[in-house]
Amino acid sequence: QRLIVGQAVSGEWWQLFHSRPLDDVIRRAIADNRSLAAARFTLAQSREVVNDALGVLYPSVDLGASATRLNTSSAHQGGSAEGPVFNLYTIGPTVSYPLDLFGGARRYLEQQEALTRYQNYQLAAAYLTLTSNVVTEAISLASARAEIKAADEIIASDQKNLELVQLEVEAGKAAETDVLTAVSQLASDRTLLPPLRQQESVARHALSTLIGETPAGWSPPDFDLDTFALPQALPVSLPSSLVRQRPDILAAEAELHAASAAIGVATAELYPQITLSASLTQAALSPGQLFSGASTLWSVAADLAAPIFHGGTLEAQRRAAVDAYHAALATYQETVLQAFQ
């Protein structure tokens, strides 16, 4: 084995063991593991939330249509008389565009993009956890099988020794105490097997769960230690370089970014919101008169909504966003410290 300074770790690092059965199990685990599938779908959901947030940067266009039956009435000297009854048909588009003067929409989009990066790193962490757990359990299974084999050989040797001692006793060359000693040694060595078989079963069941199957529905290959090869080239890098590759640090960094953007969203809520809108409507008393020059109506409007009094909720929401940022900052710093550890 040799150390390669500065070399990056391969994404499919388990292939360094040169074990085809291990490669097959890991491929199946990546395809069928439930935790990894949940992380994939969570990331896909987060990406769609970003696509949804992109919509706030553009005008929205809606088409409306209505058909209404109306009547009019007029008062006459102590009574009332019904006016004519008629139908009114309208159709036309409406365009609205909220002016993001204080950056609330842009910060919201920034927040969702940061959360998407967080989910992406969570997926990478789930991938690394899954593959490392599969390799660990496969080696544990191979180790248990090797220890069981060694224990069986020891027990067979003890059994052979007991038979030889019994022959010596019959020939008068050994005492009965030698037989008791051999029996005691055989019984003691036999106690090695139950915990080793339990270790083997635990590893088998863990591998089944990791690939998304029940232990009764799938059994892993019989891994043996001699089917694994030690990696010949071991990549080595400085801790300051290695921690930048860790998904947990990158995820905490993305969460910190999202918390920062949330402060901008809460701050924008303290200021006026202006929305521009325009409509072009066709209105007529019969469908056949629609889309004629005389039936065209249009309007342009600007709406202003400014917060005046909300019982302190907007200020409290901003302070909460600031506190959440400081919490995310502390979490990020702790994650980095643990990574160096």
Side-chain angles (χ1 to χ4, degrees), residues 191-202:
T191 63
L192 299 174
L193 281 176
L196 292 176
R197 296 198 185 282
Q198 182 185 27
Q199 179 182 338
E200 180 188 26
S201 294
V202 169

Side-chain angles (χ1 to χ4, degrees), residues 44-58:
Q45 176 191 11
S46 183
R47 286 172 175 166
E48 293 303 330
V49 172
V50 171
N51 293 335
D52 173 68
L54 281 171
V56 302
L57 302 179
Y58 302 97

Side-chain angles (χ1 to χ4, degrees), residues 9-26:
V9 180
S10 169
E12 297 181 341
W13 55 271
W14 58 87
Q15 292 186 350
L16 296 175
F17 293 106
H18 300 287
S19 171
R20 183 175 296 276
L22 178 63
D23 294 345
D24 293 340
V25 172
I26 287 184

Side-chain angles (χ1 to χ4, degrees), residues 5 44 151 194:
V5 178

Side-chain angles (χ1 to χ4, degrees), residues 6 69 201 230:
R69 188 169 179 82
S201 294
L230 286 176

Side-chain angles (χ1 to χ4, degrees), residues 3 94 209 252 274 280 287 296 302 313 321 324:
L3 302 180
T94 300
T209 303
I274 299 176
L280 180 65
T296 301
T313 58

Side-chain angles (χ1 to χ4, degrees), residues 106-126:
R106 292 189 295 274
R107 295 309 303 273
Y108 175 73
L109 175 60
E110 181 183 346
Q111 178 189 22
Q112 296 307 316
E113 289 175 338
L115 291 176
T116 297
R117 289 195 299 274
Y118 167 78
Q119 294 299 340
N120 186 59
Y121 295 132
Q122 287 292 88
L123 175 59

